[in-house]
C-alpha cells in the first residue's frame, strides 16, 4: 500500500474543487437580520477575548464581569461566557495541548464567539490562547464579519501566578510532571496591542471589571431606543361621555 502525496499546486487545486463541491451541496440560509436582533436587545454584539497565563485571573474576572453585566445593571445585558476549561469537557474534549491542538482550540472558540456576537451577545471568551497568530485569527474572524472585538490582556507576573497556582499545575510543571506548560516550558506571546490591559497583581477583581466595562462603554455597543408608535387600529377610540 502506498500513499500518493499531492504537490502544492495539486493540493490547492484539489482544495478548490472541494470548496466548489461544498458550494453546490450547501446553501446559506438567511434569517432575521443582525440589526433586527441587536435592536431587540438594545445593544450590539461584541467579543471580549480574555487572554493570559494560567492563574492570571481570567476565569475569576470573567465570572465577575458576567454578574456585573447581567445582575448589577438597571437592565440586564445579553451575555454569554465561554470558559476555556469548561469547553474542554464538551466542544474541545478531543483536543490536547500540542501547538496544533491549541490552534484548533482557538479556531473553534473564535467561530462560536462570532456566532454569539452575531446574535447580539456580549461574549466573554476566556482562554490562555498563547500564540499571537492564533489571537490574530480570532480577531480576523470578527473583522471579516464586521463585528467588534476587544482583546483583553489579563496580566500578572509569572511569580504571582505561580504563587496563586489554584490548580497546582505550576508545581507539577516545575517538577517535570507536566510538559509543554505555558509560561514554563511552552511560550506565551505577550499581546502587543491589546485594547484592554488589566494587571491583576495591582488591581482588585472589582477594579479589573470596571476597567473592562469602561472600554465596553467606549466601544459604542449601545443602541438608542425609541418608543414604538401606535397604529391607528391599536389606539382606543374616544367616545362621548
Amino acid at each position: 500500500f502506498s500513499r500518493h502525496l499531492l504537490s502544492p499546486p495539486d493540493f490547492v487545486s484539489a482544495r478548490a474543487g472541494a470548496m466548489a463541491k461544498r458550494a453546490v451541496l450547501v446553501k446559506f440560509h438567511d434569517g432575521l437580520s443582525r440589526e433586527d436582533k441587536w435592536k431587540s436587545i438594545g445593544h450590539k454584539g461584541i467579543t471580549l477575548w480574555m487572554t493570559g497565563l494560567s492563574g492570571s485571573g481570567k476565569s475569576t474576572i470573567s465570572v465577575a464581569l458576567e454578574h456585573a453585566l447581567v445582575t448589577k445593571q438597571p437592565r440586564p445585558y445579553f451575555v454569554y461566557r465561554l470558559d476555556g476549561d469548561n469547553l474542554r469537557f464538551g466542544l474541545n474534549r478531543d483536543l490536547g495541548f500540542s501547538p496544533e491542538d491549541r490552534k484548533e482550540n482557538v479556531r473553534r472558540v473564535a467561530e462560536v464567539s462570532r456566532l454569539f456576537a452575531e446574535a447580539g451577545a456580549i461574549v466573554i471568551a476566556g482562554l490562555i490562547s498563547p500564540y499571537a497568530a492564533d489571537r490574530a485569527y480570532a480577531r480576523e474572524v470578527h473583522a471579516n464579519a464586521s463585528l467588534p472585538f476587544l482583546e483583553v490582556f489579563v496580566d500578572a507576573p509569572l511569580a504571582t501566578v505561580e504563587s496563586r497556582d489554584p490548580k497546582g499545575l505550576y508545581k507539577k510543571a516545575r517538577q517535570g510532571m507536566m510538559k509543554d506548560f505555558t509560561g514554563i516550558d511552552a511560550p506565551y506571546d505577550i499581546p502587543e496591542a491589546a485594547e484592554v490591559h488589566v494587571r491583576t497583581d495591582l488591581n482588585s477583581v472589582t477594579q479589573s471589571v470596571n476597567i473592562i466595562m469602561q472600554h465596553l462603554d467606549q466601544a459604542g455597543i449601545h443602541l438608542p431606543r425609541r418608543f414604538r408608535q401606535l397604529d391607528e387600529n391599536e389606539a382606543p377610540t374616544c367616545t362621548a361621555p
Side-chain angles (χ1 to χ4, degrees):
F1 176 77
S2 62
R3 184 170 62 180
H4 176 65
L5 298 178
L6 294 176
S7 64
D10 291 335
F11 175 78
V12 172
S13 177
R15 190 168 188 269
M19 294 289 285
K21 184 178 181 181
R22 180 185 302 174
V24 172
L25 297 176
V26 180
K27 181 181 184 300
F28 189 86
H29 298 275
D30 291 317
L32 196 64
S33 74
R34 169 199 298 177
E35 289 70 22
D36 286 338
K37 295 173 187 174
W38 289 358
K39 286 178 183 177
S40 71
I41 57 177
H43 61 80
K44 301 177 183 178
I46 187 172
T47 291
L48 303 173
W49 194 269
M50 316 280 283
T51 177
L53 292 172
S54 177
S56 62
K58 298 183 301 298
S59 294
T60 301
I61 291 172
S62 294
V63 170
L65 178 60
E66 182 181 37
H67 277 285
L69 293 171
V70 176
T71 68
K72 305 297 183 183
Q73 304 301 317
R75 175 180 175 180
Y77 286 80
F78 174 25
V79 179
Y80 200 86
R81 184 170 54 85
L82 295 169
D83 183 275
D85 284 349
N86 294 351
L87 290 170
R88 286 187 177 272
F89 288 96
L91 178 68
N92 296 330
R93 67 173 177 265
D94 59 323
L95 299 178
F97 294 91
S98 67
E100 295 76 16
D101 281 0
R102 289 181 182 273
K103 182 183 183 70
E104 175 61 12
N105 181 43
V106 169
R107 188 195 69 80
R108 293 182 190 180
V109 178
E111 294 290 351
V112 172
S113 298
R114 177 186 64 82
L115 292 174
F116 274 103
E118 280 272 4
I122 298 174
V123 183
I124 307 171
L127 58 164
I128 294 173
S129 46
Y131 306 127
D134 294 344
R135 299 194 300 267
Y137 173 83
R139 181 186 295 276
E140 183 181 7
V141 164
H142 288 73
N144 290 343
S146 301
L147 289 166
F149 179 95
L150 296 181
E151 185 176 18
V152 181
F153 180 23
V154 184
D155 185 16
L158 182 59
T160 299
V161 297
E162 279 201 72
S163 67
R164 293 172 180 167
D165 203 10
K167 307 170 193 173
L169 300 180
Y170 284 100
K171 183 178 180 180
K172 291 180 180 179
R174 290 295 189 188
Q175 293 173 345
M177 298 170 63
M178 294 184 65
K179 298 298 183 183
D180 300 323
F181 189 76
T182 303
I184 302 299
D185 59 351
Y188 177 79
D189 299 335
I190 296 175
E192 296 181 354
E195 285 82 2
V196 188
H197 184 185
V198 291
R199 285 283 301 267
T200 60
D201 58 322
L202 303 177
N203 295 286
S204 68
V205 172
T206 298
Q207 290 170 330
S208 299
V209 167
N210 286 337
I211 290 170
I212 295 170
M213 288 198 295
Q214 288 169 5
H215 283 81
L216 263 180
D217 271 331
Q218 296 167 10
I221 66 169
H222 294 96
L223 296 176
R225 297 179 65 86
R226 296 181 179 179
F227 288 115
R228 184 180 69 87
Q229 300 295 305
L230 293 177
D231 293 330
E232 284 295 336
N233 56 7
E234 291 183 280
T237 57
C238 293
T239 56

